[in-house]
Amino acid sequence: MSNRIVVMGGGISGLSAALLLARRGFEVTVLERDQAPPGELAAIGDWHRPGAPQTRQLHTFLGLFRQHLRTHLPDVLEDLLAHGAEEVGIATPSGEAAAGAEDLVVLASRRPTVEWALERALRREPGAEIRYGTSVRRAEVQDGRISGVLVRGGVIDAGVLIDAAGRRSPLRDEFTVLEGDEECGVVYNTRFYRLLDGVPRPPLKRGVTTMVAGDGFGGGLFYHDNRTFAIGIGRLPDDNDLKALREADAFDQVTALFPEFEPWLRDGASEVLTEVVPMAGLRNSLRGLAPEAPLGYGVLGDALCTTDPAFGRGASVAMHQAVMFAEAFAGDPGSLPGLVREVTARAKEWVRPWYDDSVQADFVRTRLWQASVDGHPLPQGAGVPPVSLFSLMEAGEHDPHLWQAAQRVAGLLAPLDSLDTPENRRRLQEVWASGHRPQPPSGPSRADLVEVLAASSR
Ligand SMILES: Cc1cc2nc3c(=O)[nH]c(=O)nc-3n(C[C@H](O)[C@H](O)[C@H](O)COP(=O)(O)OP(=O)(O)OC[C@H]3O[C@@H](n4cnc5c(N)ncnc54)[C@H](O)[C@@H]3O)c2cc1C
């Protein structure tokens, strides 16, 4: 039996897992259906990625992602920073550093830039091989064990197959079962820009992002590498009045309504890099191995779990699971087929609370937005809200302890159940007792957006 590990998919999870495993001495082959990234980072915007269309959407890389890079792949982090990515502190709302909060740092980078750096590092590993333009058609199974994969031109032998092929993995129906599946309830429209040379970077509200909340919609500006940034606006899938957001002119007129975006978009500040790219059909999904899945088959990243991009968790989850695989695989190659099944089960249980949280948060947001769209906005609760990521995030604007507790969880650096402590409850009450309340959206209303969109279509 071959000792080769085949990784199906060269996205964030596949590249990270392959790199970590190659550095532990395993023979790894990554098979990626898309073409290779360009050699020069300057051409990264032209990289055609039909296999991972979300690469054209705005991304933020949370604290956990940056921490794993720092700990396990420091050369990749260094390379990213040397090529225009930035580390940005989030220890306080204003981004100042604070003692004991050195982990509260996020990475500003476009998603393809991260893949570019991971693949550069992988290419330097003697035990690793990456084949682009190579689509896995099916897994080869003998006596209930993985024996290889079929690609055009024949079979590649393998003892282990790690499925990192994303949300549309071709093996998902055969070897995995859905354990949870809920609509995110949002459609995103995103456009990328670059700040022109000499233009100072306008302020960001939180870390690398400035979020805007509306009555029935939401949006954000994400700062990336090399002075690039993206603006995304989310709407309900059935909100046809906002559908025209996917048109460039209409999108530009809407983004111009937000005071937070104005310094970035005003004449002479930035240039447009892309069209408006819509992304619909998003789901929170959690999968587990099917009982009949062959020995030697494992899953990670989006192929195992997807969560609403609004929380920016996907890449961190993918990287964390890659680390889980690599750490478990320290033993001899013969034990890997059994281990891969066990690690997949553990990776699924690790991500489950984040999946549940995304489902719950999407449910609440969808209800709020739908009520606004229907013209009957839900009243704000009068009393102290229960402890949650969002209530602590809001209150954290006035209490650094709550801010850090919320940011640590938002960055996946601490578990969700670390939020509900007697101290956090007491502090939340104190913030409310002092009269601070979450501010209602101050920017344009949905009616303003609808009016602008209707006018732009005339
Ligand atoms: C709108 C949007 C915004 C997002 N924003 C964020 C964010 O801000 N922060 C964050 O952390 N995450 C974000 N995400 C999620 C994040 O992009 C994903 O979680 C992440 O891409 C998962 O990586 P992956 O490697 O598991 O899957 P993918 O990135 O989907 O990679 C899978 C790879 O497998 C390849 N492949 C597929 N089939 C085959 C085959 N048969 N043979 C060979 N190769 C194959 C594909 O071409 C692709 O390269 C966002 C997602 C969306 C949709």
Side-chain angles (χ1 to χ4, degrees):
M1 193 192 72
S2 169
N3 283 334
R4 191 205 313 259
I5 299 171
V6 160
V7 177
M8 173 171 69
I12 300 262
S13 56
L15 290 171
S16 306
L19 187 52
L20 290 162
L21 289 168
R23 288 184 176 175
R24 278 172 161 74
F26 294 102
E27 190 193 339
V28 188
T29 299
V30 178
L31 304 175
E32 167 55 49
R33 51 157 277 181
D34 287 348
Q35 297 304 319
E40 293 300 319
L41 184 57
I44 200 76
D46 302 329
W47 189 17
H48 188 45
R49 289 286 272 126
Q54 75 274 27
T55 53
R56 299 172 71 208
Q57 295 288 331
L58 67 194
H59 272 66
T60 176
F61 293 90
L62 302 179
L64 180 66
F65 189 88
R66 179 257 183 184
Q67 191 181 66
H68 278 320
L69 279 185
R70 243 186 119 181
T71 309
H72 302 284
L73 298 169
D75 55 315
V76 176
L77 179 59
E78 235 172 73
D79 200 26
L80 278 166
L81 298 178
H83 285 90
E86 290 178 41
E87 292 182 307
V88 179
I90 51 167
T92 63
S94 59
E96 289 146 26
E102 290 75 15
D103 55 337
L104 292 179
V105 175
V106 292
L107 187 69
S109 178
R110 283 168 293 178
R111 146 82 196 246
T113 306
V114 170
E115 287 175 303
W116 178 85
L118 284 168
E119 107 81 46
R120 253 158 76 91
L122 187 63
R123 276 191 186 285
R124 289 194 288 267
E125 290 304 318
E129 178 196 16
I130 177 158
R131 297 192 201 170
Y132 283 100
T134 306
S135 201
V136 172
R137 293 178 176 178
R138 65 159 199 259
E140 296 291 312
V141 179
Q142 270 176 18
D143 303 327
R145 303 170 79 99
I146 289 290
S147 61
V149 290
L150 179 69
V151 298
R152 196 165 60 160
V155 169
I156 299 173
D157 292 337
V160 167
L161 169 59
I162 296 182
D163 183 348
R167 66 192 67 207
R168 285 170 303 180
S169 163
L171 301 182
R172 64 181 186 180
D173 294 333
E174 203 179 344
F175 294 155
T176 67
V177 282
L178 265 178
E179 296 190 4
D181 182 34
E182 301 284 342
E183 206 189 341
C184 294
V186 64
V187 172
Y188 292 100
N189 288 284
T190 297
R191 188 164 215 196
F192 278 75
Y193 312 80
R194 185 194 310 277
L195 280 176
L196 295 178
D197 290 345
V199 175
R201 189 177 85 187
L204 288 151
K205 247 195 203 163
R206 284 180 181 173
V208 290
T209 61
T210 289
M211 304 304 286
V212 292
D215 54 342
F217 66 93
L221 183 151
F222 286 31
Y223 189 64
H224 293 129
D225 58 281
N226 292 295
R227 297 171 62 75
T228 58
F229 65 96
I231 294 179
I233 309 273
R235 64 164 172 88
L236 287 169
D238 294 334
D239 189 352
N240 291 331
D241 292 337
L242 298 188
K243 227 175 185 171
L245 275 168
R246 63 186 171 190
E247 310 297 338
D249 283 351
F251 186 86
D252 289 349
Q253 287 179 38
V254 163
T255 49
L257 295 174
F258 292 88
E260 293 90 340
F261 300 159
E262 193 276 334
W264 298 80
L265 299 177
R266 70 171 66 131
D267 273 354
S270 57
E271 60 178 334
V272 166
L273 296 182
T274 65
E275 284 303 299
V276 179
V277 182
M279 189 116 193
L282 297 167
R283 306 192 74 81
N284 294 294
S285 65
L286 181 67
R287 291 179 170 271
L289 285 182
E292 59 275 20
L295 206 61
Y297 173 78
V299 196
L300 83 169
D302 273 12
L304 191 62
C305 177
T306 56
T307 53
D308 187 331
F311 313 112
R313 292 172 177 164
S316 298
V317 167
M319 173 64 83
H320 185 78
Q321 292 173 338
V323 169
M324 287 177 88
F325 270 83
E327 288 185 337
F329 275 29
D332 80 289
S335 64
L336 296 189
L339 270 177
V340 73
R341 183 186 280 256
E342 185 196 313
V343 184
T344 300
R346 275 200 278 129
K348 179 190 69 183
E349 288 316 317
W350 177 82
V351 78
R352 189 186 291 277
W354 302 108
Y355 165 81
D356 289 340
D357 180 67
S358 294
V359 170
Q360 173 63 17
D362 280 353
F363 174 77
V364 171
R365 186 196 56 216
T366 301
R367 218 165 57 99
L368 267 175
W369 282 11
Q370 191 62 58
S372 292
V373 171
D374 293 342
H376 309 292
L378 299 177
Q380 266 208 352
V384 183
V387 166
S388 72
L389 183 52
F390 292 101
S391 65
L392 294 200
M393 195 94 87
E394 292 281 357
E397 300 272 356
H398 312 285
D399 178 333
H401 174 90
L402 293 183
W403 173 265
Q404 289 185 12
Q407 288 300 332
R408 204 158 267 123
V409 170
L412 309 195
L413 292 161
L416 280 153
D417 60 12
S418 66
L419 290 173
D420 197 5
T421 64
E423 180 175 5
N424 288 351
R425 258 177 271 148
R426 176 179 57 75
R427 284 176 177 268
L428 181 60
Q429 278 174 354
E430 283 170 7
V431 169
W432 273 66
S434 68
H436 292 299
R437 296 287 177 274
Q439 294 304 305
S442 58
S445 65
R446 181 174 168 280
D448 296 331
L449 267 61
V450 172
E451 193 183 318
V452 162
L453 292 173
S456 83
S457 69
R458 281 200 281 271

